[in-house]
Amino acid sequence: MKLLRKLPEAEFEIMKVVWEKEPPLTSSMLMEELRQTKEWKVPTLSSLLSRLVERGYLSTEKKGKERTYYPLITEDEYLQFESQDFRQRYSQRSWISLMNAFYDGEVLKDEELDQMQAWLDTKRKTDG
């Protein structure tokens, strides 16, 4: 996995849109999507996109007057990074205590519990 760093909230908001859409994305397309939840000006978005390019999360090309952006990191890669980072910071906690912290008080559907059980069974066989 590539060397990743935790994204600030604003950059993470951009990446969520990038991961949802089919690349390439233009800054105009991103601004239109983000306008629904953010009140950013064009220079703000441009600055945040530049940072994401510098950090290796996006690549960019200039096409005419518009820049296009492509993700270099998948959502799954970032989720794995965030999960590992979280587990390392709370490594003194057992897996069970972490799972309880995530799901305490929530009602899980039988289908979700079946999926977790299937995952645990697979882990037991492969990590055994």
Side-chain angles (χ1 to χ4, degrees):
M1 181 190 294
K2 301 166 187 151
L3 181 61
L4 300 179
R5 292 187 354 212
K6 185 170 179 59
L7 289 173
E9 191 62 31
E11 293 171 30
F12 181 67
E13 289 298 318
I14 293 169
M15 288 305 298
K16 286 192 319 190
V17 172
V18 169
W19 290 322
E20 285 176 8
K21 303 297 178 188
E22 186 70 30
L25 295 152
T26 64
S27 49
S28 298
M29 293 165 69
L30 289 166
M31 182 59 100
E32 186 62 35
E33 279 295 317
L34 291 162
R35 185 172 285 137
Q36 299 171 23
T37 57
K38 302 290 177 197
E39 294 183 18
W40 292 339
K41 305 245 185 271
V42 172
T44 301
L45 179 61
S46 296
S47 175
L48 292 169
L49 288 167
S50 292
R51 278 193 236 155
L52 285 164
V53 169
E54 288 171 19
R55 293 177 190 210
Y57 283 85
L58 296 174
S59 67
T60 186
E61 294 177 4
K62 184 131 172 109
K63 293 194 177 181
K65 294 181 181 182
E66 190 76 75
R67 284 206 158 279
T68 56
Y69 296 90
Y70 301 83
L72 296 175
I73 303 295
T74 67
E75 187 174 16
D76 285 344
E77 286 173 318
Y78 190 72
L79 179 60
Q80 184 178 9
F81 160 74
E82 282 278 18
S83 299
Q84 288 173 345
D85 181 62
F86 181 83
R87 283 196 319 263
Q88 286 173 356
R89 285 188 282 142
Y90 295 96
S91 62
Q92 73 279 7
R93 307 276 312 257
S94 71
W95 276 102
I96 295 299
S97 66
L98 286 173
M99 293 300 288
N100 278 330
F102 280 125
Y103 294 105
D104 195 28
E106 283 191 38
V107 176
L108 295 173
K109 298 175 186 166
D110 285 342
E111 180 180 323
E112 292 171 314
L113 292 170
D114 291 343
Q115 289 172 349
M116 278 195 243
Q117 186 62 55
W119 180 81
L120 289 169
D121 292 343
T122 300
K123 289 314 251 176
R124 178 170 284 153
K125 288 176 189 169
T126 58
D127 294 351

